[in-house]
Structures are given as structure tokens and as C-alpha cells.
Amino acid sequence: MVLGVAAYTAVLFALALAALLVIVTPDYLGQEIGHRAGFGDYLATALMATVVGTVAGAIGSGLEDGAAVRRAAYRTRTAERIRDG
């Protein structure tokens, strides 16, 4: 389980970092943080996004029970079966 969590975190961090490097220009990031942006600032921002995403996912999954997830996942298919007879 620990290995799975570590792998998930590493992949999420890599994706966040890649997205930041592609989307956010150094000039814009520097303007927002108040100093010239370096690679360390990108790393810190990607880490923050990773942690916030992980916590939000954990909270969201804790709020749902198994029945609610099954209803959401199978609702469309059930509606199609009823409609098609």
C-alpha cells in the first residue's frame, strides 16, 4: 500500500510539474510570487498542487459511500437498459 501511495504521489507531482512548465511562464510566476522565478519555485508550486490534490481526493472519497459510487457509475447504463427495453 505504501508503494502505491508513493507511486501515485510521484506521478501526480510529475504531471503537475510538467503542466506548470508548459503553461505558466517564468515572467508570470515571478510576478505572482514577487521575485524572479526559478526552477525551485516551479518545484514548490507542483508540490503544493500535489498535496492539495491528494488531500482533496481523500476528503472527497471519505464523503462518499460505496452505494453512492455504484449509483453514479451505473446510472447511465441502467437508464439505457430501461429506455431500450
Side-chain angles (χ1 to χ4, degrees):
M1 181 165 148
V2 173
L3 185 59
V5 172
Y8 160 80
T9 303
V11 168
L12 187 59
F13 177 76
L15 291 172
L17 182 60
L20 281 167
L21 290 171
V22 169
I23 296 170
V24 180
T25 65
D27 292 336
Y28 178 76
L29 184 58
Q31 177 183 345
E32 292 300 314
I33 60 176
H35 61 83
R36 187 174 178 176
F39 189 68
D41 297 313
Y42 281 95
L43 291 174
T45 306
L47 181 60
M48 181 183 66
T50 301
V51 170
V52 169
T54 302
V55 170
I59 291 171
S61 68
L63 295 176
E64 295 292 332
D65 62 347
V69 171
R70 282 190 294 281
R71 280 194 308 273
Y74 298 112
R75 182 179 307 152
T76 302
R77 181 68 185 124
T78 302
E80 287 175 0
R81 273 197 307 256
I82 292 169
R83 184 190 63 216
D84 294 340

